Amino acid sequence: MYKSILFIILVLLIPCIAFSQNPQELRISSFIDSTLRADQEIWYSVRATEAGILTVETTGDIDTYLEAYDSRRNLITEDDDSGDNLNAKIFILVERNTTYLFKLRGYSPDVTGRYRILASHKPIPPMTTLRAGSSHNGNIVIGQDYWFSVRAAGNGVLTVETSGDTDTMLDVYNENFVLINSDDDSGEDLNARLEADVRSGKTYYFRLYAYGEESGPYRLTANFKSYPAPTQLNPGTFQNGNIAAGEHYWFSVRAPRRGRLIMETSGNIDTFLEAFTDSYEWIASDDDGGENYNARLEILAEANRTYLFRLRGYNREISGPYRIFSSIE
C-alpha cells in the first residue's frame, strides 16, 4: 500500500520538477496565452540575441508576480504591479547571446485565471551624461523618453530633479537597468525629484518623460551628497536628537555577539529606519514596527560585525525630537 502511495506521489511531482527545470521558451516579440492555477509557478526562458533592454510583462485580469533570473538562477529583480492594472512588468539590461529566466506566479497562492505573457527588446537608448553639480536644459515632447547617465563619485545620496513649468516624471535604474524608484511631483509644483542611494564607481540611469499630455521646456539638475560619518551607538545605549525636515542621520552599531540586533525609536514623530552592512549594502527597513508611528528594526547580527542604520522622518516634511535605542538579544 505504501509503495502504491509513494508511486502516486512521484508521478504527481515529476512533471512539476521537470517543468521547473526546463522552462518554456518565450521568444522576443512574441507572446504566450495560458492559465495560472492556484499556488503554481511557471518558468519561462528568453534568449537575447543582442544587447539592450529586455521587457517581460503580463496582461489580463489576474494579479501576477514576476521574478527575473540569470542563467544560473541568481535573482536579478522582481515586480508586482508595474504593468497595467495588477499585471507584473520587468525590464532589465541584457547581454548579447545570453539566456534569462522568468518565474511567473500569482501575487497570492489563491490567484487563478487566464493571462498573456509577452517579451520585447529594444536597443540601449542614447544617453546624455550628467555630472553631479551640473544641469541640463531641454524640451519634452509628449510620448518621448529622455535618458541620462550619472556616475557616482562616492557612497552617498544622488538627487536628480527637474525645474520649470512642465509636469515631469522621473525613473531611476541601477547599472543593470533594474528600476529603483519613480517619482511624479516630489519637487516644486509639478516637478519630479528623486533621491537614490549610490555606490562609488557605479553608473545610474534616469529616464525623464512628461506626465500625461504635458510638453515644454525643463531643466534637469543632479547633486551628490556623501554619507556623513555615523554616530556610534553601543547595544544597551540610546541617543537623543532632533530630526530636521528632509535630513538623514546615520548610526553604527558593533554587535558583541551573534543575535538579534534591534534598533528602535521613541517619541511623537513618524520615523523610518533602514539597516545596512558596513559597506552600505541594504539589509532591511521599517516604518511603524514600534509604538505609535515609531520605527523598529530587527536583524540577525554576526559577532563582532558592524552594522549601519539610517534614520529619517517618514516623509520630507517631518521634523521633531526623537530617541533611538540599540539592543541585542
Side-chain angles (χ1 to χ4, degrees):
M1 177 179 177
Y2 293 109
K3 291 183 178 179
S4 299
I5 294 174
L6 180 60
F7 175 78
I8 292 172
I9 292 173
L10 288 173
V11 168
L12 292 173
L13 286 177
I14 287 173
C16 296
I17 296 171
F19 185 79
S20 64
Q21 292 175 343
N22 297 283
Q24 184 176 358
E25 182 184 10
L26 176 62
R27 295 182 178 179
I28 292 175
S29 300
S30 70
F31 62 86
I32 294 174
D33 287 316
S34 190
T35 300
L36 184 68
R37 299 191 300 272
D39 205 20
Q40 184 183 18
E41 295 178 349
I42 303 175
W43 287 82
Y44 295 93
S45 67
V46 182
R47 184 166 181 79
T49 57
E50 298 293 338
I53 301 175
L54 174 65
T55 302
V56 174
E57 61 186 311
T58 64
T59 61
D61 297 324
I62 63 173
D63 193 351
T64 54
Y65 198 95
L66 274 173
E67 299 172 12
Y69 296 81
D70 64 20
S71 58
R72 296 183 179 180
R73 302 209 179 199
N74 296 311
L75 180 66
I76 299 173
T77 188
E78 53 194 313
D79 180 75
D80 177 18
D81 294 330
S82 292
D84 290 336
N85 298 322
L86 299 177
N87 283 279
K89 182 178 183 179
I90 283 176
F91 57 94
I92 58 174
L93 185 67
V94 294
E95 298 178 1
R96 182 174 181 268
N97 293 329
T98 305
T99 297
Y100 297 85
L101 303 175
F102 295 84
K103 182 172 74 173
L104 171 68
R105 61 176 174 85
Y107 176 73
S108 60
D110 58 345
V111 170
T112 63
R114 299 286 298 177
Y115 70 90
R116 173 175 287 184
I117 188 167
L118 313 88
S120 59
H121 177 278
K122 60 182 179 182
I124 298 173
M127 294 282 175
T128 298
T129 301
L130 189 64
R131 293 180 174 84
S134 67
S135 297
H136 176 85
N137 295 321
N139 193 77
I140 289 181
V141 177
I142 298 172
Q144 295 293 315
D145 293 341
Y146 303 87
W147 288 86
F148 301 84
S149 65
V150 183
R151 185 175 177 83
N155 296 321
V157 177
L158 178 65
T159 302
V160 174
E161 58 187 321
T162 62
S163 58
D165 297 325
T166 306
D167 193 352
T168 54
M169 296 192 69
L170 278 171
D171 298 335
V172 57
Y173 302 82
N174 67 13
E175 67 274 15
N176 295 318
F177 267 84
V178 174
L179 180 66
I180 299 174
N181 202 0
S182 299
D183 182 74
D184 178 14
D185 295 330
S186 293
E188 293 186 0
D189 299 325
L190 298 177
N191 284 280
R193 185 180 190 275
L194 270 176
E195 290 186 354
D197 290 299
V198 296
R199 300 285 304 280
S200 180
K202 299 290 186 180
T203 299
Y204 297 83
Y205 304 102
F206 292 82
R207 179 169 70 117
L208 170 66
Y209 51 106
Y211 179 82
E213 299 300 314
E214 287 284 329
S215 63
Y218 69 88
R219 169 172 286 186
L220 187 71
T221 303
N223 288 293
F224 173 76
K225 186 176 182 180
S226 297
Y227 291 138
T231 299
Q232 184 176 346
L233 190 63
N234 296 322
T237 65
F238 66 87
Q239 175 87 28
N240 291 323
N242 193 82
I243 290 179
E247 293 297 319
H248 298 178
Y249 303 87
W250 286 85
F251 300 87
S252 67
V253 182
R254 185 173 179 82
R257 56 181 172 82
R258 180 180 172 86
R260 289 188 301 121
L261 182 60
I262 302 169
M263 288 284 282
E264 57 187 317
T265 65
S266 61
N268 297 319
I269 62 172
D270 193 352
T271 54
F272 192 90
L273 273 173
E274 295 170 276
F276 299 79
T277 67
D278 57 359
S279 57
Y280 294 97
E281 296 286 350
W282 185 88
I283 300 174
S285 64
D286 180 76
D287 176 18
D288 295 329
E291 293 184 359
N292 299 323
Y293 292 107
N294 283 280
R296 186 179 190 275
L297 258 181
E298 291 188 13
I299 63 171
L300 181 61
E302 298 294 332
N304 300 316
R305 287 285 305 275
T306 297
Y307 297 88
L308 303 175
F309 293 86
R310 178 167 59 181
L311 170 67
R312 62 175 174 85
Y314 176 70
N315 58 46
R316 292 183 56 82
E317 287 73 40
I318 287 175
S319 62
Y322 69 88
R323 171 172 289 183
I324 187 166
F325 179 77
S326 171
S327 62
I328 190 165
E329 297 178 353

PDB file of all heavy atoms in Angstrom, residues 33-42 44 62-65 104-115:
ATOM      1  N   ASP A  33      -0.308  32.666 -24.437  1.00  0.00           N
ATOM      2  CA  ASP A  33      -1.542  32.670 -23.662  1.00  0.00           C
ATOM      3  C   ASP A  33      -1.606  31.393 -22.845  1.00  0.00           C
ATOM      4  O   ASP A  33      -1.331  30.300 -23.357  1.00  0.00           O
ATOM      5  CB  ASP A  33      -2.767  32.742 -24.579  1.00  0.00           C
ATOM      6  CG  ASP A  33      -2.942  34.117 -25.188  1.00  0.00           C
ATOM      7  OD1 ASP A  33      -2.803  35.106 -24.450  1.00  0.00           O
ATOM      8  OD2 ASP A  33      -3.197  34.202 -26.403  1.00  0.00           O
ATOM      9  N   SER A  34      -1.965  31.527 -21.573  1.00  0.00           N
ATOM     10  CA  SER A  34      -2.025  30.337 -20.728  1.00  0.00           C
ATOM     11  C   SER A  34      -2.932  30.598 -19.535  1.00  0.00           C
ATOM     12  O   SER A  34      -3.519  31.674 -19.406  1.00  0.00           O
ATOM     13  CB  SER A  34      -0.618  29.944 -20.267  1.00  0.00           C
ATOM     14  OG  SER A  34      -0.625  28.678 -19.633  1.00  0.00           O
ATOM     15  N   THR A  35      -3.015  29.584 -18.669  1.00  0.00           N
ATOM     16  CA  THR A  35      -3.834  29.670 -17.457  1.00  0.00           C
ATOM     17  C   THR A  35      -2.961  29.401 -16.245  1.00  0.00           C
ATOM     18  O   THR A  35      -2.172  28.456 -16.228  1.00  0.00           O
ATOM     19  CB  THR A  35      -4.985  28.652 -17.495  1.00  0.00           C
ATOM     20  OG1 THR A  35      -5.814  28.925 -18.636  1.00  0.00           O
ATOM     21  CG2 THR A  35      -5.831  28.732 -16.230  1.00  0.00           C
ATOM     22  N   LEU A  36      -3.095  30.244 -15.236  1.00  0.00           N
ATOM     23  CA  LEU A  36      -2.360  30.067 -13.982  1.00  0.00           C
ATOM     24  C   LEU A  36      -3.281  29.398 -12.971  1.00  0.00           C
ATOM     25  O   LEU A  36      -4.391  29.861 -12.721  1.00  0.00           O
ATOM     26  CB  LEU A  36      -1.896  31.430 -13.468  1.00  0.00           C
ATOM     27  CG  LEU A  36      -1.021  31.422 -12.217  1.00  0.00           C
ATOM     28  CD1 LEU A  36       0.350  30.803 -12.527  1.00  0.00           C
ATOM     29  CD2 LEU A  36      -0.843  32.833 -11.673  1.00  0.00           C
ATOM     30  N   ARG A  37      -2.785  28.304 -12.388  1.00  0.00           N
ATOM     31  CA  ARG A  37      -3.548  27.607 -11.359  1.00  0.00           C
ATOM     32  C   ARG A  37      -3.130  28.093  -9.973  1.00  0.00           C
ATOM     33  O   ARG A  37      -2.082  28.717  -9.822  1.00  0.00           O
ATOM     34  CB  ARG A  37      -3.339  26.089 -11.461  1.00  0.00           C
ATOM     35  CG  ARG A  37      -3.799  25.502 -12.795  1.00  0.00           C
ATOM     36  CD  ARG A  37      -3.818  23.981 -12.726  1.00  0.00           C
ATOM     37  NE  ARG A  37      -2.505  23.445 -12.431  1.00  0.00           N
ATOM     38  CZ  ARG A  37      -1.585  23.149 -13.336  1.00  0.00           C
ATOM     39  NH1 ARG A  37      -1.843  23.373 -14.626  1.00  0.00           N
ATOM     40  NH2 ARG A  37      -0.420  22.651 -12.975  1.00  0.00           N
ATOM     41  N   ALA A  38      -3.936  27.785  -8.979  1.00  0.00           N
ATOM     42  CA  ALA A  38      -3.649  28.206  -7.607  1.00  0.00           C
ATOM     43  C   ALA A  38      -2.303  27.658  -7.146  1.00  0.00           C
ATOM     44  O   ALA A  38      -1.990  26.482  -7.366  1.00  0.00           O
ATOM     45  CB  ALA A  38      -4.759  27.734  -6.668  1.00  0.00           C
ATOM     46  N   ASP A  39      -1.493  28.522  -6.555  1.00  0.00           N
ATOM     47  CA  ASP A  39      -0.199  28.158  -5.974  1.00  0.00           C
ATOM     48  C   ASP A  39       0.765  27.574  -7.009  1.00  0.00           C
ATOM     49  O   ASP A  39       1.637  26.766  -6.678  1.00  0.00           O
ATOM     50  CB  ASP A  39      -0.399  27.163  -4.826  1.00  0.00           C
ATOM     51  CG  ASP A  39       0.745  27.220  -3.822  1.00  0.00           C
ATOM     52  OD1 ASP A  39       1.449  28.242  -3.798  1.00  0.00           O
ATOM     53  OD2 ASP A  39       0.946  26.241  -3.085  1.00  0.00           O
ATOM     54  N   GLN A  40       0.644  27.993  -8.266  1.00  0.00           N
ATOM     55  CA  GLN A  40       1.503  27.477  -9.333  1.00  0.00           C
ATOM     56  C   GLN A  40       2.606  28.469  -9.669  1.00  0.00           C
ATOM     57  O   GLN A  40       2.414  29.689  -9.621  1.00  0.00           O
ATOM     58  CB  GLN A  40       0.669  27.198 -10.593  1.00  0.00           C
ATOM     59  CG  GLN A  40       1.466  26.563 -11.732  1.00  0.00           C
ATOM     60  CD  GLN A  40       0.640  26.370 -12.989  1.00  0.00           C
ATOM     61  OE1 GLN A  40      -0.416  26.991 -13.157  1.00  0.00           O
ATOM     62  NE2 GLN A  40       1.106  25.516 -13.885  1.00  0.00           N
ATOM     63  N   GLU A  41       3.778  27.940 -10.017  1.00  0.00           N
ATOM     64  CA  GLU A  41       4.895  28.723 -10.529  1.00  0.00           C
ATOM     65  C   GLU A  41       5.227  28.236 -11.932  1.00  0.00           C
ATOM     66  O   GLU A  41       5.374  27.035 -12.153  1.00  0.00           O
ATOM     67  CB  GLU A  41       6.125  28.582  -9.638  1.00  0.00           C
ATOM     68  CG  GLU A  41       5.939  29.152  -8.247  1.00  0.00           C
ATOM     69  CD  GLU A  41       7.162  28.945  -7.378  1.00  0.00           C
ATOM     70  OE1 GLU A  41       8.069  28.179  -7.802  1.00  0.00           O
ATOM     71  OE2 GLU A  41       7.234  29.529  -6.277  1.00  0.00           O
ATOM     72  N   ILE A  42       5.330  29.163 -12.879  1.00  0.00           N
ATOM     73  CA  ILE A  42       5.617  28.808 -14.269  1.00  0.00           C
ATOM     74  C   ILE A  42       6.886  29.523 -14.697  1.00  0.00           C
ATOM     75  O   ILE A  42       7.013  30.740 -14.540  1.00  0.00           O
ATOM     76  CB  ILE A  42       4.445  29.189 -15.200  1.00  0.00           C
ATOM     77  CG1 ILE A  42       3.147  28.523 -14.726  1.00  0.00           C
ATOM     78  CG2 ILE A  42       4.753  28.792 -16.639  1.00  0.00           C
ATOM     79  CD1 ILE A  42       1.923  28.940 -15.526  1.00  0.00           C
ATOM     80  N   TYR A  44       9.774  30.622 -17.579  1.00  0.00           N
ATOM     81  CA  TYR A  44       9.993  30.918 -18.989  1.00  0.00           C
ATOM     82  C   TYR A  44      11.464  31.281 -19.201  1.00  0.00           C
ATOM     83  O   TYR A  44      12.102  31.847 -18.315  1.00  0.00           O
ATOM     84  CB  TYR A  44       9.114  32.089 -19.450  1.00  0.00           C
ATOM     85  CG  TYR A  44       7.635  31.794 -19.403  1.00  0.00           C
ATOM     86  CD1 TYR A  44       6.887  32.123 -18.279  1.00  0.00           C
ATOM     87  CD2 TYR A  44       6.994  31.180 -20.472  1.00  0.00           C
ATOM     88  CE1 TYR A  44       5.528  31.852 -18.226  1.00  0.00           C
ATOM     89  CE2 TYR A  44       5.639  30.909 -20.431  1.00  0.00           C
ATOM     90  CZ  TYR A  44       4.912  31.238 -19.303  1.00  0.00           C
ATOM     91  OH  TYR A  44       3.573  30.964 -19.252  1.00  0.00           O
ATOM     92  N   ILE A  62      -5.810  39.017 -13.894  1.00  0.00           N
ATOM     93  CA  ILE A  62      -5.378  38.438 -12.624  1.00  0.00           C
ATOM     94  C   ILE A  62      -4.139  39.169 -12.109  1.00  0.00           C
ATOM     95  O   ILE A  62      -3.420  39.812 -12.875  1.00  0.00           O
ATOM     96  CB  ILE A  62      -5.086  36.925 -12.754  1.00  0.00           C
ATOM     97  CG1 ILE A  62      -3.936  36.663 -13.723  1.00  0.00           C
ATOM     98  CG2 ILE A  62      -6.334  36.174 -13.181  1.00  0.00           C
ATOM     99  CD1 ILE A  62      -3.491  35.207 -13.760  1.00  0.00           C
ATOM    100  N   ASP A  63      -3.922  39.075 -10.805  1.00  0.00           N
ATOM    101  CA  ASP A  63      -2.814  39.764 -10.138  1.00  0.00           C
ATOM    102  C   ASP A  63      -1.560  38.881 -10.229  1.00  0.00           C
ATOM    103  O   ASP A  63      -1.434  37.880  -9.511  1.00  0.00           O
ATOM    104  CB  ASP A  63      -3.174  40.030  -8.674  1.00  0.00           C
ATOM    105  CG  ASP A  63      -2.216  41.005  -8.007  1.00  0.00           C
ATOM    106  OD1 ASP A  63      -1.185  41.348  -8.617  1.00  0.00           O
ATOM    107  OD2 ASP A  63      -2.489  41.420  -6.871  1.00  0.00           O
ATOM    108  N   THR A  64      -0.637  39.244 -11.110  1.00  0.00           N
ATOM    109  CA  THR A  64       0.551  38.415 -11.355  1.00  0.00           C
ATOM    110  C   THR A  64       1.786  38.982 -10.674  1.00  0.00           C
ATOM    111  O   THR A  64       1.848  40.158 -10.331  1.00  0.00           O
ATOM    112  CB  THR A  64       0.818  38.302 -12.862  1.00  0.00           C
ATOM    113  OG1 THR A  64       0.906  39.619 -13.419  1.00  0.00           O
ATOM    114  CG2 THR A  64      -0.282  37.527 -13.554  1.00  0.00           C
ATOM    115  N   TYR A  65       2.794  38.104 -10.532  1.00  0.00           N
ATOM    116  CA  TYR A  65       4.073  38.474  -9.914  1.00  0.00           C
ATOM    117  C   TYR A  65       5.176  37.838 -10.745  1.00  0.00           C
ATOM    118  O   TYR A  65       5.106  36.645 -11.071  1.00  0.00           O
ATOM    119  CB  TYR A  65       4.133  37.971  -8.472  1.00  0.00           C
ATOM    120  CG  TYR A  65       5.178  38.654  -7.628  1.00  0.00           C
ATOM    121  CD1 TYR A  65       4.848  39.732  -6.823  1.00  0.00           C
ATOM    122  CD2 TYR A  65       6.501  38.228  -7.637  1.00  0.00           C
ATOM    123  CE1 TYR A  65       5.791  40.378  -6.044  1.00  0.00           C
ATOM    124  CE2 TYR A  65       7.457  38.859  -6.855  1.00  0.00           C
ATOM    125  CZ  TYR A  65       7.100  39.930  -6.067  1.00  0.00           C
ATOM    126  OH  TYR A  65       8.048  40.561  -5.301  1.00  0.00           O
ATOM    127  N   LEU A 104       6.907  33.119 -13.161  1.00  0.00           N
ATOM    128  CA  LEU A 104       5.594  33.742 -13.031  1.00  0.00           C
ATOM    129  C   LEU A 104       4.779  33.003 -11.975  1.00  0.00           C
ATOM    130  O   LEU A 104       4.754  31.779 -11.941  1.00  0.00           O
ATOM    131  CB  LEU A 104       4.858  33.701 -14.373  1.00  0.00           C
ATOM    132  CG  LEU A 104       3.379  34.128 -14.350  1.00  0.00           C
ATOM    133  CD1 LEU A 104       3.250  35.609 -14.054  1.00  0.00           C
ATOM    134  CD2 LEU A 104       2.694  33.778 -15.657  1.00  0.00           C
ATOM    135  N   ARG A 105       4.136  33.776 -11.115  1.00  0.00           N
ATOM    136  CA  ARG A 105       3.202  33.221 -10.135  1.00  0.00           C
ATOM    137  C   ARG A 105       2.131  34.256  -9.851  1.00  0.00           C
ATOM    138  O   ARG A 105       2.217  35.413 -10.299  1.00  0.00           O
ATOM    139  CB  ARG A 105       3.920  32.845  -8.841  1.00  0.00           C
ATOM    140  CG  ARG A 105       4.593  34.004  -8.118  1.00  0.00           C
ATOM    141  CD  ARG A 105       5.185  33.546  -6.797  1.00  0.00           C
ATOM    142  NE  ARG A 105       5.958  34.576  -6.121  1.00  0.00           N
ATOM    143  CZ  ARG A 105       5.450  35.507  -5.323  1.00  0.00           C
ATOM    144  NH1 ARG A 105       4.126  35.562  -5.128  1.00  0.00           N
ATOM    145  NH2 ARG A 105       6.217  36.403  -4.732  1.00  0.00           N
ATOM    146  N   GLY A 106       1.125  33.852  -9.098  1.00  0.00           N
ATOM    147  CA  GLY A 106       0.126  34.801  -8.642  1.00  0.00           C
ATOM    148  C   GLY A 106       0.661  35.585  -7.457  1.00  0.00           C
ATOM    149  O   GLY A 106       1.540  35.107  -6.727  1.00  0.00           O
ATOM    150  N   TYR A 107       0.126  36.793  -7.250  1.00  0.00           N
ATOM    151  CA  TYR A 107       0.575  37.588  -6.115  1.00  0.00           C
ATOM    152  C   TYR A 107       0.306  36.858  -4.802  1.00  0.00           C
ATOM    153  O   TYR A 107       1.096  36.928  -3.867  1.00  0.00           O
ATOM    154  CB  TYR A 107      -0.131  38.946  -6.118  1.00  0.00           C
ATOM    155  CG  TYR A 107       0.209  39.780  -4.913  1.00  0.00           C
ATOM    156  CD1 TYR A 107       1.463  40.366  -4.796  1.00  0.00           C
ATOM    157  CD2 TYR A 107      -0.712  39.962  -3.878  1.00  0.00           C
ATOM    158  CE1 TYR A 107       1.802  41.119  -3.682  1.00  0.00           C
ATOM    159  CE2 TYR A 107      -0.384  40.717  -2.765  1.00  0.00           C
ATOM    160  CZ  TYR A 107       0.875  41.293  -2.668  1.00  0.00           C
ATOM    161  OH  TYR A 107       1.197  42.023  -1.557  1.00  0.00           O
ATOM    162  N   SER A 108      -0.788  36.119  -4.743  1.00  0.00           N
ATOM    163  CA  SER A 108      -1.110  35.279  -3.589  1.00  0.00           C
ATOM    164  C   SER A 108      -1.371  33.856  -4.088  1.00  0.00           C
ATOM    165  O   SER A 108      -1.656  33.649  -5.269  1.00  0.00           O
ATOM    166  CB  SER A 108      -2.326  35.828  -2.837  1.00  0.00           C
ATOM    167  OG  SER A 108      -3.454  35.861  -3.685  1.00  0.00           O
ATOM    168  N   PRO A 109      -1.272  32.860  -3.209  1.00  0.00           N
ATOM    169  CA  PRO A 109      -1.411  31.460  -3.646  1.00  0.00           C
ATOM    170  C   PRO A 109      -2.761  31.128  -4.270  1.00  0.00           C
ATOM    171  O   PRO A 109      -2.857  30.156  -5.033  1.00  0.00           O
ATOM    172  CB  PRO A 109      -1.201  30.663  -2.346  1.00  0.00           C
ATOM    173  CG  PRO A 109      -0.418  31.569  -1.465  1.00  0.00           C
ATOM    174  CD  PRO A 109      -0.893  32.948  -1.780  1.00  0.00           C
ATOM    175  N   ASP A 110      -3.804  31.906  -3.968  1.00  0.00           N
ATOM    176  CA  ASP A 110      -5.135  31.573  -4.470  1.00  0.00           C
ATOM    177  C   ASP A 110      -5.464  32.236  -5.813  1.00  0.00           C
ATOM    178  O   ASP A 110      -6.576  32.084  -6.324  1.00  0.00           O
ATOM    179  CB  ASP A 110      -6.195  31.941  -3.436  1.00  0.00           C
ATOM    180  CG  ASP A 110      -6.156  33.418  -3.062  1.00  0.00           C
ATOM    181  OD1 ASP A 110      -5.158  34.090  -3.374  1.00  0.00           O
ATOM    182  OD2 ASP A 110      -7.131  33.889  -2.451  1.00  0.00           O
ATOM    183  N   VAL A 111      -4.505  32.960  -6.407  1.00  0.00           N
ATOM    184  CA  VAL A 111      -4.762  33.617  -7.694  1.00  0.00           C
ATOM    185  C   VAL A 111      -4.837  32.578  -8.810  1.00  0.00           C
ATOM    186  O   VAL A 111      -3.933  31.746  -8.967  1.00  0.00           O
ATOM    187  CB  VAL A 111      -3.665  34.654  -8.015  1.00  0.00           C
ATOM    188  CG1 VAL A 111      -3.799  35.155  -9.450  1.00  0.00           C
ATOM    189  CG2 VAL A 111      -3.741  35.826  -7.049  1.00  0.00           C
ATOM    190  N   THR A 112      -5.879  32.614  -9.590  1.00  0.00           N
ATOM    191  CA  THR A 112      -6.054  31.726 -10.744  1.00  0.00           C
ATOM    192  C   THR A 112      -6.658  32.514 -11.895  1.00  0.00           C
ATOM    193  O   THR A 112      -7.312  33.547 -11.683  1.00  0.00           O
ATOM    194  CB  THR A 112      -6.985  30.538 -10.419  1.00  0.00           C
ATOM    195  OG1 THR A 112      -8.299  31.046 -10.089  1.00  0.00           O
ATOM    196  CG2 THR A 112      -6.465  29.725  -9.248  1.00  0.00           C
ATOM    197  N   GLY A 113      -6.444  32.013 -13.127  1.00  0.00           N
ATOM    198  CA  GLY A 113      -7.085  32.641 -14.271  1.00  0.00           C
ATOM    199  C   GLY A 113      -6.195  32.692 -15.498  1.00  0.00           C
ATOM    200  O   GLY A 113      -5.031  32.273 -15.477  1.00  0.00           O
ATOM    201  N   ARG A 114      -6.757  33.227 -16.549  1.00  0.00           N
ATOM    202  CA  ARG A 114      -6.044  33.350 -17.820  1.00  0.00           C
ATOM    203  C   ARG A 114      -5.120  34.561 -17.801  1.00  0.00           C
ATOM    204  O   ARG A 114      -5.398  35.566 -17.153  1.00  0.00           O
ATOM    205  CB  ARG A 114      -7.047  33.504 -18.970  1.00  0.00           C
ATOM    206  CG  ARG A 114      -8.005  32.335 -19.153  1.00  0.00           C
ATOM    207  CD  ARG A 114      -7.322  31.135 -19.757  1.00  0.00           C
ATOM    208  NE  ARG A 114      -6.792  31.411 -21.090  1.00  0.00           N
ATOM    209  CZ  ARG A 114      -6.094  30.548 -21.819  1.00  0.00           C
ATOM    210  NH1 ARG A 114      -5.790  29.353 -21.316  1.00  0.00           N
ATOM    211  NH2 ARG A 114      -5.668  30.858 -23.022  1.00  0.00           N
ATOM    212  N   TYR A 115      -4.022  34.457 -18.538  1.00  0.00           N
ATOM    213  CA  TYR A 115      -3.083  35.560 -18.668  1.00  0.00           C
ATOM    214  C   TYR A 115      -2.364  35.442 -20.007  1.00  0.00           C
ATOM    215  O   TYR A 115      -2.388  34.406 -20.668  1.00  0.00           O
ATOM    216  CB  TYR A 115      -2.057  35.550 -17.524  1.00  0.00           C
ATOM    217  CG  TYR A 115      -1.083  34.391 -17.613  1.00  0.00           C
ATOM    218  CD1 TYR A 115       0.120  34.528 -18.310  1.00  0.00           C
ATOM    219  CD2 TYR A 115      -1.378  33.157 -17.038  1.00  0.00           C
ATOM    220  CE1 TYR A 115       0.997  33.453 -18.431  1.00  0.00           C
ATOM    221  CE2 TYR A 115      -0.516  32.098 -17.142  1.00  0.00           C
ATOM    222  CZ  TYR A 115       0.673  32.244 -17.836  1.00  0.00           C
ATOM    223  OH  TYR A 115       1.535  31.176 -17.960  1.00  0.00           O
TER     224      TYR A 115
END
